[in-house]
Amino acid sequence: GEAMAPLLTRTGRRPFQEAYDAFVTSFCIPLLHSMAMSQNLFHGASSRISYRYQAFPKIRILKPGDASDGPHCGTSNGHSIGFLHFHVPLTAAMGTNALYTESHPGKENWHPLITKSVGLGFLFDGARCLHFNMENTTSDTSVALEFTVAIYGDRTEDEYVDGESLCTRSILEDHFSLSGHGFYDEAVIDLSPQSPSWQVVAKKHGGDLLDPDYRVGFPFL
């Protein structure tokens, strides 16, 4: 609608996109990096750890009476299995206007991602776990940002060991990366102590912001 109209021009969406990109590179990626380090996932990895993330988020809007098209997961929509999903409500999410998901793939223990405070987010295995919206029987519209982030190393596919190595760039290729430039952006953290950017997130392609297209969904359809 009219509220989304500014996003359709590069000038109009720039403040929002700059804030989103800063949120991903200054908070979400360092959070994932810290979690991965605590689980020793970088053991034997190359010194450069790369992060592929959605360059523009999906904006999920659920008005009273709206419902989604049923349970789905990221892989069924064309995403690589290596991606983790962030769901960040911009409004209070309660009852049937919240996103529902399962705790583990195939478990079907559906539960809503509830938050009373704006800006509290959720990180889950949306590539494999089914998630959906019920019919919104509340009187409130819910709005949330959804996007994906993946970690990969610079090793070749020949050096990849399933269950022991980080994903390689080729393993993360999916419908969105293969259908054209612009859906994903990338950043890197250099783990070598001598690097001036040690554990500092550096965008691979400078500060340029990528233009969203139909792959993001509404309002770019």
Side-chain angles (χ1 to χ4, degrees):
E2 293 183 7
M4 298 292 105
L7 298 180
L8 297 177
T9 67
R10 186 175 294 175
T11 302
R13 67 175 166 263
R14 187 170 185 85
F16 171 81
Q17 194 170 4
E18 286 179 340
Y20 163 74
D21 196 78
F23 173 62
V24 174
T25 56
S26 65
F27 178 78
C28 299
I29 289 177
L31 172 65
L32 284 180
H33 194 77
S34 176
M35 293 170 64
M37 289 190 71
S38 69
Q39 297 179 39
N40 201 30
L41 294 183
F42 300 144
H43 176 71
S46 61
S47 61
R48 287 170 57 86
I49 305 300
S50 295
Y51 290 82
R52 177 177 289 182
Y53 64 95
Q54 205 166 312
F56 198 93
K58 176 180 179 180
I59 302 174
R60 181 185 288 269
I61 299 175
L62 193 70
K63 299 176 182 179
D66 286 352
S68 72
D69 53 2
H72 60 277
C73 61
T75 53
S76 67
N77 288 341
H79 286 287
S80 164
I81 199 171
F83 281 95
L84 294 171
H85 284 231
F86 283 84
H87 176 77
V88 184
L90 301 182
T91 58
M94 304 289 291
T96 56
N97 74 8
L99 182 71
Y100 282 71
T101 185
E102 54 187 345
S103 60
H104 297 284
K107 201 161 187 179
E108 298 186 0
N109 55 340
W110 313 117
H111 59 279
L113 303 182
I114 291 176
T115 175
K116 295 181 179 179
S117 300
V118 175
L120 293 181
F122 301 88
L123 171 62
F124 68 104
D125 184 4
R128 299 185 301 163
C129 288
L130 293 172
H131 48 282
F132 60 95
N133 282 107
M134 299 179 67
E135 180 182 355
N136 182 4
T137 58
T138 75
S139 59
D140 299 317
T141 296
S142 64
V143 182
L145 302 183
E146 294 184 347
F147 53 93
T148 58
V149 183
I151 310 173
Y152 72 90
D154 286 346
R155 293 181 179 273
T156 66
E157 195 164 351
D158 292 339
E159 299 174 297
Y160 174 75
V161 179
D162 188 28
E164 297 181 14
S165 307
L166 291 177
C167 283
T168 64
R169 183 186 179 93
S170 60
I171 290 174
L172 285 182
E173 298 295 2
D174 60 15
H175 166 74
F176 297 94
S177 63
L178 296 174
S179 58
H181 174 72
F183 187 81
Y184 294 121
D185 206 341
E186 296 199 354
V188 64
I189 295 180
D190 194 334
L191 297 181
S192 57
Q194 66 270 23
S195 170
S197 61
W198 181 67
Q199 293 201 17
V200 173
V201 179
K203 292 189 65 170
K204 286 190 174 181
H205 309 298
D208 294 339
L209 298 174
L210 303 178
D211 291 331
D213 58 29
Y214 69 95
R215 292 172 294 179
V216 175
F218 178 80
F220 304 102
L221 296 172

